[in-house]
Each structure stands twice: as C-alpha cells, then as structure tokens.
Amino acid sequence: VTNKTPTVVLIGTGKVAFHLSTAFKQAGIKIVQVFGRQSDKAEALSKISGATFVTEIHKLQDDADLYLVAVLDQAVAEIAGLMPRTRGIVAHTSGFVDAEVFKPYFDNYGVCYPLQTFTADRQLDYRDIPFLIEGSSMKTELALSSLASKISSSVTLANSDLRSKMHLAAVFACNFPNYMHIIAHEIVHETGLPFELLHPLMLETASKAVSMVPEAAQTGPAARHDMSTIEAHLNLIKRMGLKHEEVYALITEKIIEKYNKPNKQ
Amino acid sequence: VTNKTPTVVLIGTGKVAFHLSTAFKQAGIKIVQVFGRQSDKAEALSKISGATFVTEIHKLQDDADLYLVAVLDQAVAEIAGLMPRTRGIVAHTSGFVDAEVFKPYFDNYGVCYPLQTFTADRQLDYRDIPFLIEGSSMKTELALSSLASKISSSVTLANSDLRSKMHLAAVFACNFPNYMHIIAHEIVHETGLPFELLHPLMLETASKAVSMVPEAAQTGPAARHDMSTIEAHLNLIKRMGLKHEEVYALITEKIIEKYNKPNKQ
C-alpha cells in the first residue's frame, strides 16, 4: 500500500459488505473486484463501485492492495484457505474471529472491525462508526488504519483479545437491549395502544446512557427496590399469558443486587 | 376547570414534580402552591413557578382546580387521605397506581402519567412526552387531557389496566436496556478502551427499533444461532471474572427460541 488510493477486493455480499462498499464509494476508494457465491448478489454489489465480480473464489485477482473478507465468522477460515496467495493485506471484518486465522496463508493480514449493527436498506453515517484495527505488522496496521480513516472519524487499534471483549460488550449494548424492545413491543401490542408511545422513552434511554453513564441513568422499580410493583408486574405478566417472567425476574434481581446491597442481610 | 388557565397545586418534590413544574412554567400554566415535607426542596420547587409552598399537608389550599400528586407510588394513598377535601381534580402521575386510590376521598380524580424516564438536571423536550390520561368522569378526563395538551403533543386516554401494562412495557423499554448498557460499560471498562466506542451502537440500536420494529432489527450471535460464538462469549465472561453468565445465557436462549424455532426438534 503506497500513498495512492489502495485497490480493494471485497469478499462477501452480506450486510457488512454492502455497507462497506457504500462507505468506500462515498470515500472515493476503488473496489476493483467483488466475490460472492450467488451471482445476483455479487453483481448487485459490484455495481455500487463499478467493480467486476466473480463467483468462484480461485478466480480472484492476486494483485490488489487489500482484501476485505466480510463473511460470516464461521466462513472466514475456509475463505482464507481458498483465496489465491497474495502480497496484499488480507483483513476480515469480524468482531470475534482471531486475526491469526490468516497466518497460515498470508504474510500481511489483519482486522478491520466496524463496531456497529448493520441492516440492509438503512442509511448510516459511516463517519460515526468506530473501527477497531489490528495488523500482523506495524506497516499493515498503518495501512488498515489509514484506509479506515478515509471512511470513519473513529479508528482505534485493538488486538484480538480486546476486540473480542468489545464484541461481547456490543451484544449487551445492542442485541440484548433490542430483545427487551421486542418484549416491550409485544406488551404494547396486547394493549391495542400504538408502539409509538414508547418511542420517546426508548430514544431517551439510549441518549441518557450516552450523555451520563448508564450506572447513573438507572430508574424503575428494581433500582428503588419497590417489591410491591415488582410482584404486581410479575403477576401481570402471568395474567397476560406472556412468557417473560423469567427474564423480568432475573434482570430485576440483578438490578436490586447492584443498587440495594446495603438493604440486604 | 373552565376555559381560563387552571390553577394547579403540585404535591411532591421529586424528579417528576421538578420536570412537571418546569413544563408547566414553559406552557404558561400557573402553579399556585407546592407541598413537600422537606422545606428546602419544597421551596426550591416553588421558586420555579413563583408559587407558595407548605411542608404540612393539611395546610394545602382547598380551592385549586387541579392537584397533581407526583410522589412515590407507595405514598399516593396516604397523601390522598391526608389532603384537604376539595372540589378540584386530584390526579396522580404514577404508571402503576390505580386511579381508584382517590375514590374514598374525592369526587373528581384521575391520572396524568408521563411515559418517560426522568433525571434531575437533564433537559427534556416536554412536547415529546406521551401522557396517558384517565379521569373519574368524562369532564375530568377532558380537563386533564386539556392540561396535558398544553405541555405535550401526545395525549392518550388509557384506563388503569392499560396504563399498568404500558408501565410494564416501559420497564422493558427503558430500565432493562439500561441495565444491559451497565454490563456493556463494565466490560468495556475492563478493556481500558473508551466507552464512547459503544455510543454510536447504543444510539443506532434505539433508533433502529423505533424506525423499523425491534423484531426486524435483531442481530447478533443468538439471532443467527451461532453456538460457537455464544460458547466463546460465555467462556470469556467467566475468564473475565464477571457475574453476567446467567443474564447472557437466559436472554440468548430466549432469542434463539424466538428466531430459530424451525431448527429445533
């Protein structure tokens, strides 16, 4: 990778690959080739950047500066073994796959992990997406950081151990809150009232946790150890025939433990 | 309550009372008197509106149009019993206390429940706060709705049964996601990386659940039934000496059940 804009090959046609190719296009970075097993998806993605596409992995060109492997975690190792050998940098985009997965096959490798939740057809401001970068050498790390900096204003070096912890944290910051929203949605649906009534609360909850810290933002019956409301909520869940008692009980217990230790014997 | 601006007495000096008095002031609604047991708090709150304040409940005036009881759930019944009898409307602001708590003491009563999480010293756009209204008569309901409409653009009638369900939903929409954020914060703290790296993810998670629906927004290892990542996360939690295995395991199990039923025997 020199000072000129690097040439990039994109491997994968999922949500991350789609958003990265859009982000690259916006940043003026040239994707030269796209690989995907399904030709319709590979073709669609290649059109975003005016790249060529291949559906057989051995047909990938071997002279690009960077190969971004944006596939499911469990497919990264297989892809690495099937790709042509190259002197370019090979990097995956996973939060949880070790960078060393590439070691048997490549001299220059690393990770370029966008710490965000991606959905097809949803616009994102790519400048806001934090990228966690790891490289097999300082030179590789610099090249990957430089590339990520063209897309995002938040680029951080993090080895595979740190990255896996951030990935775990992301499950608690995103996937689990969303499941709580699903339960809230189900309960509101039972009332016949519009789910929109909860929207300001959901947005304010995230906004508070960001502008204060979540420890200071905790409210509700469990935080104030209000056992009569907690009992009434559990009875209501049963009465409504919902299957969320266990989740309510466990999280409530944990919040009580955290905020009310002095009250316990 | 006539067409002229109603006179309001505010009972309570907590976060909800504080925010309501600020909202009333912005809306040009006159609070004439504030009650609070602690004179410093009652005085501070009375100053926002230029109201008088009392620290003994029997000293409350009996001729206001509306008495707003913004106290802890468990204190509403006691306050109701101690207040002077009045022909005005007496309404509490709780999500979970039945409106009938006022029936033994007053002719005109109801509920004015702001569906939001309140924190001292945090600015809120009161127009966005949904109010759930209930009244002992249509006239009372109209008066309370009319008052709430002066503050907020979202006013909905809901009886105590519906309101208690919305209150339960709010726990899942706010308190439980916030606890997930607390765990995420704890994990990030262990890495030494800044918590700010998770901010865009937390905000996007709420934003997605609002603009799509949360069922369509679910991502992560559990939603894709990725057992090897789930096992690795559980091991990582143990290895880090954190006490969140049970929460991780239960929510993951529930998400798998929801999204992967066809895979199960």
Side-chain angles (χ1 to χ4, degrees), chain B residues 174-191:
Chain B
C174 168
N175 307 152
F176 290 175
N178 190 69
Y179 184 66
M180 300 300 129
H181 293 152
I182 288 175
I183 297 178
H185 190 191
E186 196 178 325
I187 296 168
V188 174
H189 184 76
E190 289 289 308
T191 66

Side-chain angles (χ1 to χ4, degrees), chain A residues 197-206, chain B residues 115-117 130 169-171 173-174:
Chain A
L197 290 175
L198 284 187
H199 285 178
L201 180 62
M202 291 158 63
L203 294 170
E204 169 70 0
T205 299
Chain B
L115 188 43
Q116 186 52 282
T117 173
V171 169
C174 168

